[in-house]
Amino acid sequence: LSPERSEEQMKQGNWLDAVFATSYDIEQGTVLPFLMELPGAPLNGRAATGAGAGPSARSVAPADLLASLKMNETLFKRLLYAVMQAVATRRKVYIALDLPAEEITAGAKELLRLLYAALPYAFRRQLGFMTFAKEPQAKKGVHLQFVERGTLRPKDRNTEKDFTFDLATGRVTHAEVSVAQLPYAEF
């Protein structure tokens, strides 16, 4: 997308439902063409585009979403704090959802929608994320990673200074409960 169009998409928020290319023919050239719109997921046999299209158009109550992911409001506020700190500093956030591996990406997208709705715009436009990784691994520009359950081991040197949210075991590091009472979290 052009820089102007990309900024507009970021404000709308429906880009989480974009369909990404899974292959590329190098014979077509080495430069990807600019898009006017993001291609959306098929909806009843046709591509979904526009502000109200795709799964983001459905409204799931935040409390129901958090309950389905085995989170409560306090834990979500701690996660929000960790994500804001990760964007502002060099620390990373690793989340192990208590879901089977094939459902992690879908659960991650739903949680990301909720995070994006709660984050200030300046943080939203800088946040880099991965919706699935087998193991936690620091990558430049990626602040938030969703990993398979069982991969966030206590006292792991790769993640000892980062924020970890292991929802399967209930273990959270570096995001104390007191951050849930910060003024922004209450707002």
Side-chain angles (χ1 to χ4, degrees), residues 16-166:
L16 279 171
D17 299 312
V19 175
F20 295 94
T22 57
S23 62
Y24 181 72
D25 183 9
I26 194 71
E27 291 180 11
Q28 305 240 341
T30 58
V31 177
L32 294 174
F34 274 100
L35 298 174
M36 294 309 292
E37 292 288 329
L38 287 176
L43 187 64
N44 296 333
R46 59 183 167 64
T49 57
S56 66
R58 71 177 181 269
S59 60
V60 176
D64 295 339
L65 172 62
L66 292 177
S68 72
L69 295 174
K70 298 179 178 101
M71 293 180 76
N72 59 27
E73 182 181 346
T74 302
L75 186 57
F76 177 75
K77 288 176 181 179
R78 293 167 71 185
L79 176 60
L80 183 64
Y81 166 81
V83 169
M84 291 172 77
Q85 286 297 308
V87 171
T89 65
R90 292 186 154 200
R91 294 169 84 179
K92 307 289 183 191
V93 178
Y94 299 103
I95 303 173
L97 296 174
D98 191 15
L99 297 172
E102 60 273 3
E103 296 176 21
I104 291 175
T105 299
K109 280 175 125 181
E110 294 302 320
L111 185 54
L112 279 168
R113 273 191 189 84
L114 194 54
L115 280 169
Y116 269 86
L119 282 170
Y121 180 69
F123 287 93
R124 258 187 281 163
R125 68 187 301 261
Q126 291 183 33
L127 179 63
F129 62 86
M130 288 178 61
T131 57
F132 180 78
K134 275 195 162 294
E135 292 273 334
Q137 184 179 19
K139 295 183 182 276
K140 187 175 182 178
V142 176
H143 306 99
L144 173 64
Q145 263 184 44
F146 291 89
V147 297
E148 279 190 58
R149 58 184 165 188
T151 59
L152 292 175
R153 293 174 281 288
K155 299 186 179 167
D156 183 351
R157 292 190 63 155
N158 295 328
T159 61
E160 68 185 351
K161 293 182 181 177
D162 296 318
F163 298 99
T164 61
F165 291 81
D166 190 345

